[in-house]
Amino acid sequence: MNQTLRIGSGAAWWGDRVEPAALNAEHGALDYLCFETMAEATVSAAQVRLRRDSSFAGYDTYLDERMRAVLPACMRHGTRIISNQGWINPTGAAERIVQLLRDAGQHGLKVAAVCGSLITDRVLELADRVLENGAPVRSLAPDLISAEVYLGAEPIVAALRAGAQIVVTGRVADPSIFLAPMMHGFGWDPLDHERVGAGSAIGHLLECGAQVTGGYFCDPGFKELPEPWNFAFPIAEVQSDGTAVITKVAGSGGGVTLQTIKEQMLYEVHDPANYLTPDVVVDFTQARLEQIGPDRVRVTGLTGKPRTPTLKVSIGCAEGFIGEDMFFYAGPGALRRARWARKILQERFRIVQLQAEELRIDFLGLNAIHGAATPADAVEPYEVAVRVAARTKTRAEAAKVGREVDGMAVSGIAHTGKRVPHQERWREVIGLWSALVPREAVPAHICYFES
């Protein structure tokens, strides 16, 4: 049985860079390379796209790019891959990976698809109350788009135990993707909450990729790291007792320090003593960090508490549309002209009877972030971007924003700078709600394919 596992991050979200994953695959000496590509709204957004585009495959649109970048090195070094790039079609993603393996001359390799997280057809029966407002889940029925349960590590472990070289999933909790190889490699009992808690905490440190090696950390003049244009993704050297050293490939940009580890450890953690995951309730409060060398931080003291009897389900609902556009002013008097443009648009929206639940006309660089809290004596900018956005119930109303902004090109204030739109200036809004479902009501199932 392995006493040390090297687990590397391959992605922290759908749009993440590919080069750091390739670097880890080639030079990380990894046992496992794990990709986390799903944000909260990813599945619902994928469902919306599928409704508009029947050719959409339903899995990560960068699947080919990522796999082509890492498969040669991973196959050469014996690195196994775990990824949630399956989105709403894990079997389709697995079949595509099989084809990519065959194209690369790799035959006889097992690829597993973990399915079962999508419960859109059952959520109204399984879930009771919306966590955010206490309303009955059935009240969401008219606007329901999708519902996905956050599965844990166990089905991934089963696929690894069955010999899968690559495991692709739908919705799985972010830390679980990294926890699974620890549970498999060390033979941890799923109910051993102390070790599983430690493993999930390590997974949490890895799941956001470069955030633990300097990404979203650097603040020039206050917190600086070398080569911020060349951040690597992290690697965890995990011991069977649940301790780990967080590091990265030598010679890459960024750094692994006590500061970077601490910031990521607390990222999106509402209660450090009770961080809920499908596998365990993680407890970070006894964590101990030690810088043992350049870009090497040892993490100990991580633990956990017994897992909950329920699983979280994320419910995506249609909540109307947003129409949005932008135009610009520069030079002396830019803010004065922007304010007049705002007045013109407000009157134009009244004339065309815009039905908006919310309308915002912000001046980027002045008040778009802090709104009414912007200091009254803020320095007048040399240039101003006017952002116009309206939230509406229908697409037709949202489209009025772009139409009226178009009119500013020749019917607005002097020196209006108007961009030429290359796409629709409206988008569908997906609202996200949460609920709980009984753990036993959502069994995962695994499909196997061979290259």
Side-chain angles (χ1 to χ4, degrees):
M1 183 179 295
N2 292 327
Q3 293 305 303
T4 303
L5 284 175
R6 284 179 64 88
I7 302 171
S9 170
W13 73 293
W14 163 72
D16 217 338
R17 295 171 181 166
V18 176
E19 294 89 349
L23 180 71
N24 269 353
E26 186 63 70
H27 300 290
L30 301 179
D31 297 296
Y32 292 88
L33 179 61
C34 301
F35 291 84
E36 199 293 290
T37 69
M38 299 176 73
E40 286 287 328
T42 302
V43 174
S44 296
Q47 293 282 13
V48 169
R49 178 172 177 179
L50 188 61
R51 291 194 303 177
R52 298 175 57 188
D53 179 6
S54 59
S55 66
F56 175 49
Y59 50 75
D60 181 5
T61 53
Y62 292 125
L63 178 71
D64 281 27
E65 183 179 353
R66 288 194 165 103
M67 289 299 107
R68 287 193 173 111
V70 304
L71 281 177
C74 286
M75 297 305 100
R76 190 166 60 251
H77 298 310
T79 301
R80 300 169 88 168
I81 296 172
I82 301 173
S83 174
N84 64 2
Q85 290 174 272
W87 292 9
I88 60 174
N89 186 13
T91 56
E95 290 172 335
R96 180 57 185 160
I97 292 171
V98 165
Q99 186 58 55
L100 293 172
L101 287 168
R102 291 172 179 169
D103 292 345
Q106 298 286 342
H107 300 285
L109 297 175
K110 183 178 285 189
V111 179
V114 174
C115 307
S117 61
L118 200 63
I119 62 164
T120 309
D121 59 338
R122 297 191 296 146
V123 67
L124 300 181
E125 288 72 39
L126 293 179
D128 181 23
R129 295 282 170 178
V130 177
L131 295 181
E132 286 81 1
N133 59 17
V137 170
R138 286 186 175 275
S139 66
L140 303 177
D143 303 313
L144 178 65
I145 293 177
S146 66
E148 313 84 40
V149 171
Y150 284 81
L151 298 179
E154 287 186 81
I156 302 175
V157 174
L160 295 173
R161 191 179 300 125
Q165 183 71 22
I166 301 173
V167 183
V168 61
T169 77
R171 173 67 77 190
V172 170
D174 301 353
S176 303
I177 297 169
F178 300 87
L179 169 65
M182 304 178 212
M183 292 177 63
H184 172 64
F186 299 135
W188 289 345
D189 187 320
L191 299 182
D192 183 349
H193 54 265
E194 293 185 355
R195 284 185 173 82
V196 173
S200 295
I202 295 166
H204 172 72
L205 292 177
L206 297 178
E207 70 185 55
C208 288
Q211 282 190 198
V212 86
T213 58
Y216 215 68
F217 169 86
C218 288
D219 190 357
F222 296 93
K223 300 181 299 179
E224 296 183 347
L225 289 172
E227 297 186 44
W229 52 85
N230 191 30
F231 287 134
F233 289 159
I235 296 169
E237 300 172 353
V238 188
Q239 303 296 314
S240 58
D241 62 356
T243 62
V245 173
I246 308 299
T247 185
K248 66 182 183 70
V249 171
S252 57
V256 179
T257 70
L258 297 180
Q259 281 183 295
T260 64
I261 297 288
K262 289 175 183 177
E263 286 198 11
Q264 174 58 28
M265 183 174 288
L266 297 177
Y267 176 71
E268 292 184 337
V269 173
H270 68 288
D271 179 355
N274 296 284
Y275 178 57
L276 302 177
T277 79
D279 303 291
V280 70
V281 178
V282 180
D283 185 352
F284 292 99
T285 59
Q286 303 303 311
R288 296 291 181 268
L289 306 179
E290 179 186 3
Q291 189 90 44
I292 61 173
D295 299 320
R296 294 182 63 82
V297 174
R298 177 178 286 125
V299 185
T300 60
L302 302 168
T303 187
K305 304 169 185 177
R307 65 190 187 184
T308 64
T310 55
L311 296 174
K312 178 184 175 182
V313 55
S314 182
I315 306 171
C317 295
E319 294 193 351
F321 298 82
I322 287 180
E324 183 179 9
D325 207 344
M326 192 181 303
F327 54 99
F328 311 88
Y329 297 100
L335 182 57
R336 171 173 47 82
R337 293 195 295 275
R339 286 169 172 159
W340 265 104
R342 177 174 59 188
K343 174 64 174 176
I344 290 172
L345 282 173
Q346 289 170 336
E347 290 299 318
R348 286 298 307 167
F349 288 141
R350 181 183 60 80
I351 291 170
V352 300
Q353 298 181 348
L354 173 67
Q355 302 298 310
E357 295 181 298
E358 183 180 3
L359 173 66
R360 289 189 57 160
I361 302 178
D362 296 323
F363 303 145
L364 303 189
L366 183 72
N367 64 6
I369 303 298
H370 292 154
T374 302
D377 59 350
V379 176
E380 180 169 339
Y382 179 81
E383 57 185 43
V384 178
V386 182
R387 174 185 176 267
V388 188
R391 185 163 57 88
T392 68
K393 291 186 178 297
T394 69
R395 184 176 65 185
E397 290 299 311
K400 289 180 179 179
V401 170
R403 291 292 292 117
E404 288 305 318
V405 169
D406 280 345
M408 299 296 289
V410 294
S411 300
I413 298 297
H415 313 304
T416 299
K418 179 70 176 68
R419 62 181 181 175
V420 177
H422 296 286
Q423 59 186 11
E424 295 285 0
R425 288 161 289 174
W426 56 266
R427 66 182 185 274
E428 192 168 1
V429 178
I430 307 301
L432 289 177
W433 303 93
S434 305
L436 300 176
V437 297
R439 179 182 295 272
E440 65 276 6
V442 192
H445 61 276
I446 307 170
C447 300
Y448 295 98
F449 306 87
E450 188 171 307
S451 67

